Amino acid sequence: MVNLFKGVFAIIFDELKFAIRRKTITSYILFSFVFAISLYGTYMQEYGAAQGEMPLLSMFPIELEKGVAPLTDFAIFLMAFFVSALQSASSGTPPDVVLPVDIGITLFIIAPILIALSSLSKLAVRLCASSIARERESKTLYHLLVSPQPRAMAYLSKFIGAIGAAIPMIVLVFAGVVWIIGASFVPYIEVEQAAQLKNQVLIASIVTTFLFASIGMFLSTITRNEESAVNRGGWILKIMIVLTTVWIFLPIFSVAGESTASTIEKITMISPLTLDMIALYGGEMFNQYMLIQLGVGLLFLFSGMMIFVRQDVEY
Amino acid sequence: MINAKNLTKRFGKVDALKGLNLHVKKGSIQGLIGPNGAGKSTTIKILSTLVIANSGDVTINDIPLKRGVSVRSMIGVVPETPRLHENKSARSELRFHAKLYGMSQKEAKSRISDLLYAVQLEDAADRPIRGYSTGMKKRVALALALLHEPEILLLDEPMSGLDPVIRKQFKEIILDLKEMGKTILVSDHDLYTVEELCDSVTIIQDGKTVVEDTIESLRHETGSIAIELRVSDDSTMDGLESKLTSLDCVTDVSQKRGWVIVKVRDSKTDIPVVIHTASNHTDILEAKQTKITLEDIFLKFAGGHHG
């Protein structure tokens, strides 16, 4: 009986080596730059434990309704952020508006975490989309498939190898999260809440990476060449980012007119961001959302694997 | 050793195989020949488990092909145009494959050294493959196929793109492998190569097996011996052809560039009868005896569609 584990590790390390050599360096540089700026921007805001109506919020005839209308809260958060940022930019001094911690946490989710998740998704989808399609295009895939490695095992090994290159990025994200929560929020939120926030960001990073890596593997299986597979992955990601951006701004319109508010609110409820925000009000919703992402990821991963196992391969 | 029954394979609207049968005996070298598009490469790919047949049964060493992992441990494949990881060296490519086959580091190191020596790539073993010639790449592919000491070798056009010196080396290696008891299936366009290497052949056409037997049996069926006759008067050639066709000992008569070619089975008894009959019909200027080639056999069974 052939020692399968040696083969599995060989494929994983081969794919990982390729991923590190060709695909990740630019992504990591860009990610570090943008993530650091966004983290610093969030850090520079001044947060306080004030509750209820704040001086700033009195400019708007809307009250925070924590846990009741998160979308309305979100619109207020955004406006508060823009006002404080404008104030800072026009006066050249740090903003003298003390934002509620809730706003800080939301901004933290909107800026650095969304940037981190987008970067992770992009890296994962690119690495995985190229893994099988690249070998099919260069016609070297047959080497792997005439070896005694079961096809399903070869597929999963390539997946693990490709996704492995995203692990340092997840670690960086987590390190940033630990820092910003400790530096900006910990004095004002409970220890359990801070720990939950860190865990949620870590889980979201891992699950989002898994989801996009699985989509990448699926595309890699059904596409004949590397460029098409990576481009398709890129398009899926772009569409997701556009939709997320639209979802981010939809809540702002929800306060504009009463008649459309309920419709928009229903639409925005399916937004990943909305759900992430709601997760701040209750961990159960977050867990459900993560489970849905995990399920979709598994569906893509195993669909790709089933196709790959039954696929004809040329040499 | 290899048994394939009623294999069919469809690619989109094209039927590549339409009920192909194949039987390869243990320890033999069998040729798989046929015109372009006959289904030779598809057959090799199915046996390699790279392509999945739509229907039919295949067993290798009595193990169904569906049990891919067990079967793949027994086979080595050399494709027509071997594609390798160009940035790697031959040695690192072999090392990676040794891991796929679960070989220990020590075992792999000694096996790789032996193989690099056998395929004469020791000097270039640590250079990137992108600088290799076609012949060198083919030798790497052969080393990869032999790495795990498989019982069966599937060679798809092993001689294509090779210069005469490398071809000779390849032939010798293949014959050595036969001596070692390996079972080898060779798909090749070069019928002279197949004739030199193989004990038996399977001729396929339009995705079906036309005939399968030892070359000797097929030669006997086609006519083991060919006699080429040159006549003084070309106008008598048609009459001579019909006269000779009527003889029981003659299996085939044809004309080629002023020669009448007569195929018979037995040189001792049949040649004198042919010469006597021909001499009675017309003046014979020249007569020579040649052996029936695989090309003759192929043309007889594949109907002259050799691509």
Side-chain angles (χ1 to χ4, degrees), chain B residues 127-148:
Chain B
R127 292 206 317 253
I129 289 171
R130 62 173 170 270
Y132 285 15
S133 66
T134 310
M136 289 165 86
K137 285 180 184 171
K138 210 114 190 186
R139 280 184 274 166
V140 177
L142 184 63
L144 287 170
L146 295 171
L147 185 66
H148 56 297

Short mmCIF file of all heavy atoms in Angstrom, two decimals, chain B residues 127-148:
data_model
loop_
_atom_site.label_atom_id
_atom_site.label_comp_id
_atom_site.label_asym_id
_atom_site.label_seq_id
_atom_site.Cartn_x
_atom_site.Cartn_y
_atom_site.Cartn_z
N ARG B 127 19.92 20.72 -13.83
CA ARG B 127 19.62 21.93 -14.60
C ARG B 127 18.10 22.06 -14.78
O ARG B 127 17.40 21.05 -14.85
CB ARG B 127 20.26 21.84 -15.99
CG ARG B 127 21.77 21.89 -15.97
CD ARG B 127 22.33 22.42 -17.29
NE ARG B 127 21.68 21.89 -18.48
CZ ARG B 127 22.25 21.01 -19.30
NH1 ARG B 127 23.46 20.54 -19.06
NH2 ARG B 127 21.61 20.60 -20.38
N PRO B 128 17.58 23.30 -14.89
CA PRO B 128 16.13 23.44 -15.10
C PRO B 128 15.68 22.77 -16.40
O PRO B 128 16.38 22.84 -17.41
CB PRO B 128 15.92 24.96 -15.17
CG PRO B 128 17.12 25.56 -14.56
CD PRO B 128 18.25 24.62 -14.78
N ILE B 129 14.53 22.16 -16.35
CA ILE B 129 14.03 21.39 -17.49
C ILE B 129 13.76 22.29 -18.70
O ILE B 129 13.81 21.82 -19.84
CB ILE B 129 12.75 20.61 -17.07
CG1 ILE B 129 13.16 19.48 -16.12
CG2 ILE B 129 11.98 20.07 -18.25
CD1 ILE B 129 12.04 18.76 -15.45
N ARG B 130 13.51 23.59 -18.45
CA ARG B 130 13.19 24.48 -19.58
C ARG B 130 14.31 24.54 -20.63
O ARG B 130 14.07 24.86 -21.78
CB ARG B 130 12.82 25.88 -19.12
CG ARG B 130 13.90 26.63 -18.40
CD ARG B 130 13.50 28.08 -18.11
NE ARG B 130 14.48 28.68 -17.22
CZ ARG B 130 14.41 28.65 -15.91
NH1 ARG B 130 13.37 28.07 -15.33
NH2 ARG B 130 15.34 29.17 -15.16
N GLY B 131 15.52 24.16 -20.22
CA GLY B 131 16.64 24.17 -21.17
C GLY B 131 16.86 22.82 -21.85
O GLY B 131 17.80 22.66 -22.62
N TYR B 132 15.98 21.86 -21.59
CA TYR B 132 16.17 20.51 -22.16
C TYR B 132 15.66 20.43 -23.60
O TYR B 132 14.71 21.13 -23.96
CB TYR B 132 15.40 19.47 -21.33
CG TYR B 132 16.00 19.11 -19.99
CD1 TYR B 132 17.01 19.88 -19.40
CD2 TYR B 132 15.57 17.98 -19.31
CE1 TYR B 132 17.54 19.53 -18.17
CE2 TYR B 132 16.10 17.62 -18.08
CZ TYR B 132 17.08 18.41 -17.52
OH TYR B 132 17.59 18.07 -16.31
N SER B 133 16.24 19.52 -24.36
CA SER B 133 15.73 19.23 -25.71
C SER B 133 14.54 18.28 -25.58
O SER B 133 14.28 17.74 -24.50
CB SER B 133 16.82 18.56 -26.54
OG SER B 133 17.10 17.29 -25.98
N THR B 134 13.83 18.07 -26.71
CA THR B 134 12.67 17.16 -26.70
C THR B 134 13.09 15.77 -26.24
O THR B 134 12.38 15.12 -25.45
CB THR B 134 12.06 17.07 -28.13
OG1 THR B 134 11.86 18.40 -28.59
CG2 THR B 134 10.77 16.31 -28.13
N GLY B 135 14.24 15.32 -26.77
CA GLY B 135 14.72 13.99 -26.41
C GLY B 135 14.98 13.87 -24.92
O GLY B 135 14.66 12.85 -24.29
N MET B 136 15.57 14.91 -24.35
CA MET B 136 15.87 14.88 -22.91
C MET B 136 14.58 14.86 -22.09
O MET B 136 14.47 14.15 -21.10
CB MET B 136 16.73 16.10 -22.53
CG MET B 136 18.14 16.03 -23.06
SD MET B 136 18.97 17.62 -22.96
CE MET B 136 19.62 17.58 -21.30
N LYS B 137 13.61 15.66 -22.55
CA LYS B 137 12.32 15.68 -21.83
C LYS B 137 11.65 14.31 -21.88
O LYS B 137 11.05 13.87 -20.92
CB LYS B 137 11.40 16.74 -22.44
CG LYS B 137 11.80 18.16 -22.06
CD LYS B 137 10.87 19.17 -22.67
CE LYS B 137 11.35 20.58 -22.35
NZ LYS B 137 10.62 21.60 -23.08
N LYS B 138 11.78 13.68 -23.04
CA LYS B 138 11.20 12.35 -23.20
C LYS B 138 11.87 11.36 -22.25
O LYS B 138 11.24 10.48 -21.68
CB LYS B 138 11.35 11.90 -24.65
CG LYS B 138 10.27 10.99 -25.11
CD LYS B 138 9.45 11.65 -26.19
CE LYS B 138 8.22 10.85 -26.47
NZ LYS B 138 7.46 11.35 -27.58
N ARG B 139 13.19 11.54 -22.09
CA ARG B 139 13.91 10.64 -21.18
C ARG B 139 13.50 10.89 -19.73
O ARG B 139 13.41 9.95 -18.95
CB ARG B 139 15.42 10.82 -21.38
CG ARG B 139 15.90 10.05 -22.62
CD ARG B 139 17.38 10.14 -22.77
NE ARG B 139 17.76 11.35 -23.51
CZ ARG B 139 18.99 11.82 -23.57
NH1 ARG B 139 19.96 11.21 -22.92
NH2 ARG B 139 19.27 12.89 -24.27
N VAL B 140 13.24 12.17 -19.41
CA VAL B 140 12.75 12.47 -18.04
C VAL B 140 11.39 11.79 -17.85
O VAL B 140 11.13 11.18 -16.81
CB VAL B 140 12.62 13.99 -17.80
CG1 VAL B 140 12.04 14.27 -16.42
CG2 VAL B 140 13.95 14.69 -17.94
N ALA B 141 10.55 11.89 -18.89
CA ALA B 141 9.21 11.29 -18.79
C ALA B 141 9.31 9.78 -18.61
O ALA B 141 8.54 9.18 -17.84
CB ALA B 141 8.40 11.62 -20.04
N LEU B 142 10.26 9.18 -19.29
CA LEU B 142 10.44 7.73 -19.15
C LEU B 142 10.92 7.40 -17.73
O LEU B 142 10.43 6.45 -17.11
CB LEU B 142 11.44 7.22 -20.20
CG LEU B 142 11.65 5.71 -20.24
CD1 LEU B 142 10.37 4.97 -20.62
CD2 LEU B 142 12.76 5.31 -21.21
N ALA B 143 11.84 8.21 -17.23
CA ALA B 143 12.33 7.99 -15.86
C ALA B 143 11.19 8.14 -14.85
O ALA B 143 11.07 7.34 -13.91
CB ALA B 143 13.45 8.98 -15.54
N LEU B 144 10.32 9.13 -15.08
CA LEU B 144 9.17 9.33 -14.19
C LEU B 144 8.24 8.12 -14.23
O LEU B 144 7.73 7.67 -13.20
CB LEU B 144 8.38 10.57 -14.61
CG LEU B 144 9.02 11.93 -14.30
CD1 LEU B 144 8.24 13.05 -14.99
CD2 LEU B 144 9.06 12.18 -12.80
N ALA B 145 8.04 7.59 -15.45
CA ALA B 145 7.15 6.44 -15.60
C ALA B 145 7.72 5.19 -14.94
O ALA B 145 6.98 4.31 -14.49
CB ALA B 145 6.90 6.18 -17.08
N LEU B 146 9.05 5.12 -14.86
CA LEU B 146 9.69 3.91 -14.31
C LEU B 146 10.01 4.03 -12.82
O LEU B 146 10.42 3.05 -12.19
CB LEU B 146 10.99 3.62 -15.07
CG LEU B 146 10.85 3.26 -16.54
CD1 LEU B 146 12.21 3.22 -17.22
CD2 LEU B 146 10.15 1.91 -16.69
N LEU B 147 9.82 5.23 -12.29
CA LEU B 147 10.26 5.53 -10.92
C LEU B 147 9.77 4.50 -9.90
O LEU B 147 10.53 4.04 -9.04
CB LEU B 147 9.78 6.94 -10.55
CG LEU B 147 10.23 7.49 -9.22
CD1 LEU B 147 11.73 7.73 -9.20
CD2 LEU B 147 9.52 8.83 -8.94
N HIS B 148 8.51 4.14 -9.98
CA HIS B 148 7.92 3.25 -8.96
C HIS B 148 7.95 1.78 -9.38
O HIS B 148 7.25 0.97 -8.81
CB HIS B 148 6.50 3.70 -8.66
CG HIS B 148 5.61 3.76 -9.88
ND1 HIS B 148 5.84 4.61 -10.93
CD2 HIS B 148 4.50 3.08 -10.21
CE1 HIS B 148 4.91 4.43 -11.85
NE2 HIS B 148 4.09 3.49 -11.44
#
